[in-house]
Amino acid sequence: MSKPPVLSLALPSDTGRVLSIQSHTVQGYVGNKSAVFPLQLLGYDVDPINSVQFSNHTGYPTFKGQVLNGEQLWDLIEGLEANDLLFYTHLLTGYIGSVSFLNTILEVINKLRSINPNLTYVCDPVMGDEGKLYVPEELVHVYREKVVPLASMLTPNQFEAEKLTGLRINSEEDGREACAILHAAGPSKVVITSITIGGILLLIGSHQKEKGLKPEQFKILIHKLPAYFTGTGDLMTALLLGWSNKYPDNLDKAAELAVSTLQALLRRTLDDYKQAGYDPTSSSLEIRLIQSQDEIRNPNVELKAERYS
């Protein structure tokens, strides 16, 4: 008997087939737990590879679990290839904790592009935040020199954009310049997902539609909520992948949809913790992902992009 076709390949969705390589927690929503479900709701077939499997995220007093190494990652890729299952439209990567694993990611990108030269690689270069690195310093060099040139879209936060460009971001103009530096290195789409300037929180996005052309740049002012949430960066990058693929020439519209979704979800999370009688300012909060599926599917755009001239 012949084997049945893989329907996500034989009858692909209008959106795409995503390979997502990120962390996984049994409880809570970070990494793949935060990214896979929203992408599926937006119509994507998503195949997750879990770079770690932990009981819970590392902000808890304790956690236990396993870490996938580069050799084990490559075993999975070879298994997919042996069964002709390696055709993907998108690759999504998030937190990666070691140079060896990141180097294997580079091999994965090359392998996937040998099968589909039009692969879109969306990279969230998770390295740190608010002036603090939480990966080994040598990862910064690998991201800057090897990973960024291969990315189609890059979604750093302010600190990560500074580490990748060597530029201090103290103004909107600095943020726009950082995007231009990153375009020159490789990716046509750059979204600095959170920048704080003078107490104001904003996103700066930039789309260079052709090499050598001036990029189209915009900002979105973001409401700062009185709490700290886990998994928001992973969710934001997944939403940017999902919506930018639906609106490939309108990164500002994709960002509006992504930011508005995230804000609605965070407000729901905040309200639910308050309803449970918990002070949301006392620790990091687990996001209410499942309860927000209507907002993920059909976001109400409340936060609008403002284009720079």
Side-chain angles (χ1 to χ4, degrees):
M1 291 179 63
S2 63
K3 64 181 181 180
V6 178
L7 290 180
S8 64
L9 293 173
L11 301 172
S13 70
D14 293 336
T15 44
R17 188 165 185 252
V18 182
L19 180 64
S20 180
I21 305 176
Q22 301 194 58
S23 58
H24 170 86
T25 56
V26 176
Q27 194 281 326
Y29 295 96
V30 299
N32 270 332
K33 282 284 290 286
S34 188
V36 172
F37 179 64
L39 283 169
Q40 290 171 330
L41 285 178
L42 292 176
Y44 294 82
D45 288 305
V46 188
D47 292 347
I49 292 179
N50 299 324
S51 56
V52 305
Q53 176 165 268
F54 289 161
S55 55
N56 43 265
H57 71 71
T58 57
Y60 281 85
T62 62
F63 66 93
K64 292 195 173 185
Q66 301 81 38
V67 177
L68 196 73
N69 62 36
E71 186 178 336
Q72 291 165 328
L73 169 61
W74 195 248
D75 279 346
L76 294 172
I77 297 299
E78 287 185 327
L80 290 167
E81 184 179 27
N83 291 292
D84 297 320
L85 298 174
L86 261 191
F87 183 92
Y88 289 96
T89 58
H90 295 77
L91 171 66
L92 172 62
T93 61
Y95 174 77
I96 293 163
S98 72
V99 170
S100 63
F101 197 89
L102 190 53
N103 281 327
T104 306
I105 292 286
L106 294 169
E107 296 179 44
V108 171
I109 298 166
N110 290 330
K111 173 64 74 175
L112 295 181
R113 283 198 168 137
S114 73
I115 296 165
N116 176 17
N118 296 317
L119 175 89
T120 296
Y121 172 34
V122 178
C123 173
D124 183 4
V126 181
M127 295 183 289
D129 200 5
E130 297 179 347
K132 182 181 178 184
L133 267 181
Y134 38 69
V135 297
E137 180 72 46
E138 53 265 33
L139 254 75
V140 178
H141 175 78
V142 179
Y143 268 116
R144 187 190 302 129
E145 302 300 324
K146 297 181 179 180
V147 179
V148 170
L150 297 179
S152 312
M153 178 191 290
L154 201 66
T155 63
N157 60 30
Q158 180 174 359
F159 173 70
E160 291 156 352
E162 290 177 339
K163 296 297 285 186
L164 291 172
T165 61
L167 178 70
R168 288 284 293 171
I169 300 174
N170 296 313
S171 66
E172 291 181 37
E173 192 57 46
D174 291 339
R176 296 175 66 190
E177 176 62 23
C179 289
I181 292 170
L182 292 169
H183 284 315
S188 61
K189 295 178 181 178
V190 177
V191 179
I192 305 179
T193 54
S194 60
I195 300 177
T196 302
I197 297 169
I200 304 296
L201 181 64
L202 66 151
L203 169 154
I204 290 181
S206 187
H207 186 189
Q208 187 178 45
K209 294 186 175 180
E210 285 186 39
K211 280 292 180 190
L213 289 184
K214 181 181 177 182
E216 295 177 0
Q217 297 186 319
F218 61 90
K219 67 178 177 180
I220 301 177
L221 297 179
I222 301 171
H223 303 311
K224 219 169 189 176
L225 298 174
Y228 176 77
F229 306 88
T230 57
T232 55
D234 308 317
L235 173 57
M236 182 64 180
T237 297
L239 293 169
L240 284 167
L241 185 162
W243 288 115
S244 67
N245 188 54
K246 291 173 184 279
Y247 298 99
D249 295 321
N250 295 94
L251 184 59
D252 50 350
K253 182 175 179 66
E256 288 175 347
L257 288 157
V259 171
S260 296
T261 301
L262 183 59
Q263 285 287 299
L265 180 146
L266 295 183
R267 286 197 302 270
R268 178 188 292 274
T269 300
L270 206 54
D271 290 344
D272 284 358
Y273 272 101
K274 289 177 180 175
Q275 186 178 336
Y278 184 78
D279 177 5
T281 64
S282 59
S283 67
S284 61
L285 308 180
E286 299 271 17
I287 57 175
R288 297 285 274 173
L289 192 69
I290 306 305
Q291 295 75 14
S292 302
Q293 56 188 284
D294 290 341
E295 289 88 345
I296 294 169
R297 279 199 194 96
N298 299 296
N300 178 28
V301 176
E302 299 175 350
L303 303 175
K304 302 292 286 185
E306 180 184 335
R307 286 201 179 190
Y308 294 107
S309 57

